[in-house]
Amino acid sequence: LLVSAYDQDEVGGEKRTVLRFHPSIAPIKAAVFPLVKNKPELLEKARAVYKTLQRRYNVFWDQSGAIGRRYRRMDEAGTPFCITVDFDTLEDNTVTVRERDSTEQIRMPISEVYRYLENKIEGYDEDQ
C-alpha cells in the first residue's frame, strides 16, 4: 500500500514527495493551519475548526513554519486536505481548503467544511 501510494511530482517548478492515499484510508484526514501563530484571534478560530473536525476525523494541527512548508509536510504524510485560517476568515468566516493531489485551493464557509470533507472522504452526500 505504501509503495503504491508513494509518488513524486513537480509543482511550481519544485519537486515534492506525496503519499497519494485515497482519503478514506489516509491516516490523517485533514490538517488545520492558522496562517500565523502570533494572532490570538486566528488561533482561536483555527482551534475551533480543528476541534469540530476532530470529533469525527484524525486531524493534525500545525502552526509552525511557512504555509508552503506545512503543505509539503502534509503531502509527505499523505494528508488529503489542508484547511487554512487566515485574515479573511476573521472578516467573512471562510477558510481555504487545499486538496493534496491537485494542489487546488478553494474558499468556503467554515460551516460547509465538515460536510465537504465527509463527502470527499466517505463519498457520502445526504442530498443524494
Side-chain angles (χ1 to χ4, degrees), residues 3 54 71 87 98 125:
V3 173
Q54 192 179 37
Y71 286 150
F87 295 105
R98 175 187 180 266
D125 190 349

Side-chain angles (χ1 to χ4, degrees), residues 33-36 41-42 45-46 67 71 83-96 105 107:
F33 308 145
L35 186 62
V36 294
E41 54 275 14
L42 279 182
K45 191 71 93 164
I67 195 74
Y71 286 150
I83 299 144
T84 304
V85 175
D86 58 24
F87 295 105
D88 290 338
T89 305
L90 300 177
E91 300 297 320
D92 60 12
N93 224 30
T94 62
V95 293
T96 301
Q105 297 182 16
R107 208 72 197 158

Side-chain angles (χ1 to χ4, degrees), residues 18 48 56 61 99 120:
V18 183
R56 176 135 187 203
W61 172 266
E99 292 191 5
K120 292 290 188 173

Side-chain angles (χ1 to χ4, degrees), residues 64-75:
S64 65
I67 195 74
R69 287 192 191 113
R70 290 186 249 174
Y71 286 150
R72 293 295 187 259
R73 284 195 293 262
M74 291 297 96
D75 291 346

Side-chain angles (χ1 to χ4, degrees), residues 4-81:
S4 297
Y6 180 85
D7 192 18
Q8 287 188 327
D9 66 6
E10 197 169 302
V11 175
E14 290 184 28
K15 284 191 176 190
R16 72 175 180 147
T17 301
V18 183
L19 281 178
R20 295 189 190 276
F21 291 126
H22 186 278
S24 65
I25 63 166
I28 303 169
K29 305 300 185 196
V32 178
F33 308 145
L35 186 62
V36 294
K37 62 182 177 183
N38 61 351
K39 294 287 182 199
E41 54 275 14
L42 279 182
L43 290 172
E44 183 181 326
K45 191 71 93 164
R47 212 32 110 167
V49 171
Y50 173 78
K51 286 182 179 185
T52 298
L53 297 176
Q54 192 179 37
R55 291 181 191 147
R56 176 135 187 203
Y57 300 113
N58 187 20
V59 183
F60 188 79
W61 172 266
D62 191 351
Q63 64 183 32
S64 65
I67 195 74
R69 287 192 191 113
R70 290 186 249 174
Y71 286 150
R72 293 295 187 259
R73 284 195 293 262
M74 291 297 96
D75 291 346
E76 290 176 358
T79 306
F81 305 100

